Amino acid sequence: MRLSNALLRVFTVGGVALACGACGTNHEGASSTQSGLGNDTVSCEADPRVATYTAHLDESGSHGLTFELVSADPAPPAKFGNSWVVMVKDSDGTPLTGTLGVGLNMPSHGHGTQVPPVITFDAATSTYTIDPVYLFMPGVWQITLDYYGDAGTDADPVDEASFFFCIEG
Ligand SMILES: [Cu+2]
């Protein structure tokens, strides 16, 4: 049965980095000449990479698919645990139901998250719920959605797209 197979094939790939070399060490080893670094109060809202959250935010992949952030709780995305509902659509806008992977990354810091996202697929709405989207640190986070179709996550994704958000302290 296709739908239950799809549910079973929904799992998580990537995005997990237990070793976090640069994480939380902004001030460590800073000399007096570096005292201006690591100012935790600087906002990333003006970072050109980040999106302003709205419901039904679309990001296009480079292979014709659209990844829709249907809703986020809390909204806008915030520090620590988030729950996201996403949909993957083909070029006609038809929802797709195959395997999805999620990666969480802080591109400026080179680390992922400690709590891996769990993905569940709801066949009634053709949406995937990702919970938690665990963004534990203030700054720019990249949330990458990889769509694998009927293939497993060992294959190359059919398409992928990333959402970037500024998470406030
Ligand atoms: Cu970080």
Side-chain angles (χ1 to χ4, degrees):
M1 178 182 162
R2 176 175 173 78
L3 293 177
S4 63
N5 284 344
L7 182 60
L8 288 172
R9 284 186 284 106
V10 169
F11 55 94
T12 299
V13 293
V16 181
L18 296 176
C20 188
C23 177
T25 60
N26 285 355
H27 302 282
E28 200 167 279
S31 72
S32 58
T33 57
Q34 296 173 309
S35 59
L37 299 176
N39 185 343
D40 291 335
T41 63
V42 171
S43 173
C44 50
E45 272 185 347
D47 189 295
R49 293 171 293 183
V50 304
T52 299
Y53 173 80
T54 61
H56 304 286
L57 188 63
D58 281 340
E59 290 286 348
S60 298
S62 56
H63 297 284
L65 301 189
T66 298
F67 297 79
E68 177 183 350
L69 176 50
V70 177
S71 62
D73 180 19
K79 195 177 174 186
F80 300 124
N82 294 259
S83 180
W84 283 16
V85 176
V86 304
M87 181 180 279
V88 184
K89 297 174 286 190
D90 69 11
S91 55
D92 297 324
T94 303
L96 301 176
T97 61
T99 303
L100 187 72
V102 178
L104 306 178
N105 182 45
M106 289 192 86
S108 299
H109 298 174
H111 65 74
T113 190
Q114 305 106 321
V115 184
V118 177
I119 309 168
T120 53
F121 179 69
D122 179 2
T125 57
S126 296
T127 59
Y128 304 82
T129 296
I130 311 167
D131 189 1
V133 177
Y134 194 73
L135 312 175
F136 65 89
M137 189 176 182
V140 177
W141 281 87
Q142 176 182 18
I143 296 88
T144 301
L145 304 182
D146 291 289
Y147 183 73
Y148 292 93
D150 293 329
T153 53
D154 288 339
D156 290 333
V158 175
D159 206 350
E160 67 175 11
S162 292
F163 294 88
F164 290 83
F165 288 110
C166 171
I167 300 303
E168 301 287 359

